Amino acid sequence: MLPIVMSLARLIWLFLLVPAIVASPGWAAEPAHVAEPAHLPPDVTSHQTLDLPGRVLHFTATAGSVRLRDGKESPLTDIAFVAYQIEQADAARRPVTFVFNGGPGMASAWLQVGGVGPWRVRLDPRTDGPSASPVPVPNADTWLDFTDLVFIDPPGTGYSPVLTTDSDARRRLWSVGGDIDALALAIRKWLDHSGRIVSPKYILGESYGGFRAPRLARKLQSEDGVGVSGLVLLSPLLDSHDESGFADALGWVDLLPTEVAVARALHGPVSRADLADVEAYAASDYLVDILRSEHDPAAADRLATRVAALTGLDPALVRRMRGRLDPDVFQQTVAPGRVASVYDGTVTRPNPTPRQLSASFPDPVLGGLAAPVTEAMLALYTGPLNWRPDRTYHLSNDAVFEHWDWGHGLSRPESLSALQAARSVDPHLRVMVAHGLFDLRTPYFGSVRLLGMLPHLDGVAPVVLRVYPGGHMFYFGDAARAALHDDARKVFDPSRPLEDTP
């Protein structure tokens, strides 16, 4: 009986083993492998020389991408970047700055070829349009003078594709929290791969990029083991209540000084110092009368009279708007027969539909400059960068903004809490906030008000605020771009107290 029993045992063992062998890796019965999405082209590094007034910069330019994966090691996205690094620099001392534009849904090209990169495109928002020359020229105000630069395009922008087909994963990438997680991981991977983990690290963000920056700094500090030395926030969205349709009175308070600045600029030069009377009024009597005016005819009358006098607009219109001039109305009335840009109220174009009381129209700045900025980036990619992905480059992607998940609950997200936490845990963190005086999209007085409300932190470096002539992308103006360069250089010099900045 024993031989028979052993034979049966062997048969049972083989019956159990065979399926396991057939299913093991390398055998014909292996389940079909799902091919990964193709990568963007391999990274390309070139050596560049830039002749500028008073100096010559020798640097490497690397165009490439960082692949991110989900918890199951499935591809999520390829994050495209362009990195400029001065040659033969001491990595332990040379700063590196990660650069983001906003939207959400914008590539980083606006800052790269508009303000801080080694090449820029000559554009004047007041006179240029889509047919303007997109030829990049050396940028005498490049921040390569004091920091290396890594321009990052978030998922769905530039050449950065969203690779995952999982609907939840895609939604996560286009959300407040998921965006920060992805970009922080991309920064960490770039630092590790490039051997720059010991370098002083900074973040430059514009608009929604200014919203990202404090949250990125806090995420890198607390979860990714990466310290951040400083933040530069240009035209930042610090509190997303600005996206809520002016449901509260503070939205009107933030906007009024910019509207008056625009109206006065139509008659001559204006600086922030010229708006001291408006700022004082906006934060006092204007706010009080807005809160009272719906049920207090005297308050409503004071509002209409004072706002009409400050802006020079038709008193009947101002009275009808009850002293609250939303950007759409202001854009179509501040310059008769013309429409003003929400990104710079002093930039106007002829009204394409003058017989319509309310109409949509292409923004004079964003619609006017998007084409040459895109073409300038493509010229860099096909020229000195020599990186040619076989896909469409997206300067902006409306789908990102339309599907953006701002979160759920009673309040919309803000970045002031992250900013304060980052400053509290690192008293050496250096922060500069900069705005354009004529920006109706993210008015400078919003940051004045919000930063003024931050509790004082003993021993912590102060937040420096600068306001320049110009709009949302004020750096297209030669004087503002040069002033920003000089002010930012001081942020990157830890030996200089920020309060000494003029």
Side-chain angles (χ1 to χ4, degrees):
M1 288 292 294
L2 184 59
I4 297 175
V5 171
M6 291 182 65
S7 296
L8 287 173
R10 288 193 183 97
L11 287 172
I12 293 170
W13 181 78
L14 286 172
F15 178 80
L16 294 173
L17 179 62
V18 167
I21 294 176
V22 170
S24 66
W27 290 78
E30 179 186 5
H33 177 69
V34 178
E36 279 202 352
H39 282 261
L40 289 170
D43 297 1
V44 174
T45 298
S46 58
H47 297 272
Q48 306 288 339
T49 298
L50 203 64
D51 290 309
L52 299 173
R55 75 271 196 208
V56 177
L57 301 181
H58 300 281
F59 61 97
T60 61
T62 302
S65 64
V66 175
R67 174 154 289 189
L68 303 185
R69 300 178 181 275
D70 63 16
K72 301 176 183 178
E73 290 301 303
S74 298
L76 278 175
T77 181
D78 285 337
I79 302 292
F81 68 85
V82 178
Y84 301 109
Q85 301 179 75
I86 291 292
E87 293 184 332
Q88 299 180 343
D90 180 0
R93 297 170 59 93
R94 175 74 176 173
V96 58
T97 299
F98 297 92
V99 185
F100 302 90
N101 271 98
M106 284 285 180
S108 58
W110 293 98
L111 282 169
Q112 182 166 178
V113 300
V116 306
W119 298 280
R120 70 177 182 88
V121 59
R122 289 193 181 104
L123 292 173
D124 185 343
R126 286 166 178 75
T127 58
D128 288 325
S131 62
S133 171
V135 177
V137 299
N139 181 12
D141 300 308
T142 178
W143 288 20
L144 273 180
D145 285 333
F146 47 83
T147 179
D148 292 338
L149 297 164
V150 184
F151 295 89
I152 295 180
D153 293 337
T157 72
Y159 280 130
S160 301
V162 175
L163 302 175
T164 181
T165 58
D166 181 85
S167 59
D168 290 337
R170 292 176 71 90
R171 281 194 295 270
R172 176 69 181 163
L173 281 174
W174 289 352
S175 71
V176 172
D179 173 73
I180 296 301
D181 290 343
L183 296 179
L185 180 57
I187 289 173
R188 177 59 194 264
K189 293 186 75 168
W190 187 92
L191 289 167
D192 291 343
H193 178 75
S194 303
R196 297 299 300 272
I197 194 64
V198 299
S199 301
K201 293 162 282 288
Y202 291 76
I203 300 173
L204 166 61
E206 178 190 290
S207 195
Y208 189 81
F211 176 91
R212 285 180 170 122
R215 287 171 169 254
L216 271 172
R218 189 69 192 112
K219 174 74 163 56
L220 289 166
Q221 286 175 337
S222 62
E223 299 182 33
D224 294 290
V226 174
V228 176
S229 297
L231 307 174
V232 180
L233 315 180
L234 307 185
S235 309
L237 174 73
L238 295 175
D239 187 336
S240 64
H241 84 85
D242 290 337
E243 298 295 316
S244 61
F246 296 95
D248 68 70
L250 293 176
W252 306 110
V253 169
D254 295 347
L255 186 60
L256 183 65
T258 294
E259 292 180 329
V260 176
V262 169
R264 291 179 177 178
L266 297 178
H267 304 284
V270 178
S271 68
R272 187 187 168 196
D274 299 323
L275 299 168
D277 60 326
V278 189
E279 292 185 10
Y281 168 62
S284 57
D285 292 346
Y286 181 67
L287 174 58
V288 172
D289 282 343
I290 279 180
L291 296 175
R292 294 176 175 175
S293 60
E294 291 303 317
H295 305 286
D296 183 343
D301 186 66
R302 287 193 300 270
L303 274 179
T305 301
R306 187 70 184 275
V307 172
L310 287 170
T311 61
L313 296 182
D314 179 4
L317 169 68
V318 177
R319 189 173 299 279
R320 187 163 66 250
M321 301 302 298
R322 305 186 70 77
R324 300 162 174 83
L325 299 176
D326 66 64
D328 288 342
V329 171
F330 185 79
Q331 287 174 260
Q332 296 179 73
T333 56
V334 67
R338 301 176 70 85
V339 289
S341 170
V342 73
Y343 294 94
D344 185 336
T346 66
V347 177
T348 66
R349 294 290 186 270
N351 189 341
T353 55
R355 291 183 294 275
Q356 297 184 24
L357 294 178
S358 178
S360 61
F361 51 85
D363 187 86
V365 170
L366 203 64
L369 302 187
V373 168
T374 298
E375 292 168 331
M377 275 307 304
L378 295 178
L380 290 182
Y381 276 123
T382 58
L385 299 177
N386 193 29
W387 197 62
R388 297 176 172 87
D390 185 19
R391 58 183 292 110
T392 300
Y393 175 86
H394 293 284
L395 175 65
S396 63
N397 187 341
D398 289 343
V400 177
F401 187 79
E402 291 169 1
H403 293 91
W404 197 257
D405 184 355
W406 290 91
H408 307 283
L410 296 178
S411 62
R412 296 173 71 86
E414 45 78 28
S415 286
L416 291 164
S417 299
L419 178 62
Q420 279 294 82
R423 295 176 65 227
S424 173
V425 76
D426 186 353
H428 304 291
L429 181 70
R430 299 166 74 83
V431 183
M432 184 175 87
V433 177
H435 278 272
L437 193 63
F438 310 124
D439 179 12
L440 297 163
R441 191 69 185 86
T442 53
Y444 80 92
F445 198 60
S447 288
V448 171
R449 178 179 58 80
L450 291 169
L451 295 176
M453 294 172 61
L454 290 181
H456 175 71
L457 302 178
D458 289 336
V460 174
V463 178
V464 173
L465 176 69
R466 295 286 172 264
V467 180
Y468 304 104
H472 198 71
M473 291 82 85
F474 55 83
Y475 43 78
F476 277 110
D478 292 344
R481 185 177 59 256
L484 174 65
H485 171 277
D486 293 345
D487 285 342
R489 183 195 288 270
K490 295 158 189 167
V491 177
F492 287 78
D493 181 0
S495 68
R496 178 159 185 167
L498 285 183
E499 50 264 45
D500 287 351
T501 306

